[in-house]
Amino acid sequence: MRPDDDGFPEFVRQQWGPLLRSAYLLTGDRSHAEDLVQAALEKTHRKWRKVAAMDAPTAYVYRVMVNTATSWRRRRSWGEIPQLPADTARADDPYEQIEHRQQLYAALRKLPPKMRAVLVLRYFQDMSEADTADIMGCSVGSVKSQASRGLQRLRDHLDTTDLRFTADNLLGSRP
């Protein structure tokens, strides 16, 4: 380890899993998710001394990741929406509702990038509205309205009561 790393490798080891899960939900594709995490960590490493001194360095990395994902989405053609092949689900997955979860992820990928980011940070990462607003660089009211509209769009995309129930369970029900 180089002396100027100041705990960065340890931070990466601890946060890689949660960052990758969030990146997957933001991009809808495993390889794009890995690229997104790498890009966010690369940008973070350049300023690591300042970031490490912050109260919440993980929040900073999430903000970099959300901004990078949004930037990538703007540059990409509108005709391409990544879809997971049906055979990407592992046979040994312990969840009985893997098909429902995949449909939820597909519906999530149809949302605009900022709305998707709000839902990922709020419900999948279980962040508060204030933390999400801080990461997104917007007001708490914007987070509330984006979350409300995003949840409604997800429910609209999921056509059966069973799937709506699954979405509510996976996302949790928040006031």
Side-chain angles (χ1 to χ4, degrees):
M1 180 168 87
R2 297 186 331 217
D4 61 340
D5 283 336
D6 293 334
F8 185 74
E10 182 62 28
F11 174 81
V12 171
R13 276 190 289 279
Q14 289 176 353
Q15 296 301 319
W16 181 261
L19 289 170
L20 186 60
R21 281 188 293 278
S22 294
Y24 174 77
L25 294 169
L26 290 170
T27 63
D29 180 81
R30 182 173 284 300
S31 63
H32 287 133
E34 290 172 354
D35 291 344
L36 179 59
V37 173
Q38 288 286 347
L41 289 173
E42 178 185 352
K43 291 176 183 179
T44 302
H45 186 258
R46 292 181 200 150
K47 300 177 182 181
W48 181 246
R49 286 183 192 257
K50 289 181 184 177
V51 172
M54 294 177 174
D55 289 336
T58 306
Y60 178 86
V61 177
Y62 277 108
R63 184 174 193 160
V64 170
M65 199 164 65
V66 167
N67 290 342
T68 303
T70 302
S71 161
W72 286 359
R73 177 74 179 212
R74 281 188 205 121
R75 282 189 253 148
R76 210 169 77 202
S77 79
W78 289 103
E80 177 187 351
I81 297 176
Q83 297 293 320
L84 291 176
D87 63 351
T88 59
R90 295 183 306 178
D92 62 340
D93 193 335
Y95 297 101
E96 294 177 5
Q97 300 175 341
I98 184 103
E99 185 177 329
H100 292 187
R101 194 173 57 198
Q102 291 298 328
Q103 290 173 353
L104 175 64
Y105 292 162
L108 187 64
R109 284 190 300 271
K110 293 177 183 177
L111 298 178
K114 288 190 179 189
M115 188 178 287
R116 182 186 322 165
V118 166
L119 292 179
V120 168
L121 294 173
R122 280 285 291 132
Y123 300 104
F124 287 90
Q125 289 302 321
D126 201 27
M127 292 185 178
S128 69
E129 289 168 342
D131 290 342
T132 302
D134 186 44
I135 289 171
M136 297 291 298
C138 63
S139 69
V140 173
S142 293
V143 168
K144 289 179 179 181
S145 66
Q146 288 288 316
S148 175
R149 290 180 191 140
L151 289 173
Q152 187 56 50
R153 283 192 188 179
L154 282 180
R155 288 183 184 106
D156 292 344
H157 284 300
L158 303 174
D159 52 7
T160 67
T161 306
D162 235 11
L163 290 176
R164 285 193 186 116
F165 177 74
T166 301
D168 290 340
N169 283 346
L170 287 174
L171 296 174
S173 54
R174 296 184 189 256

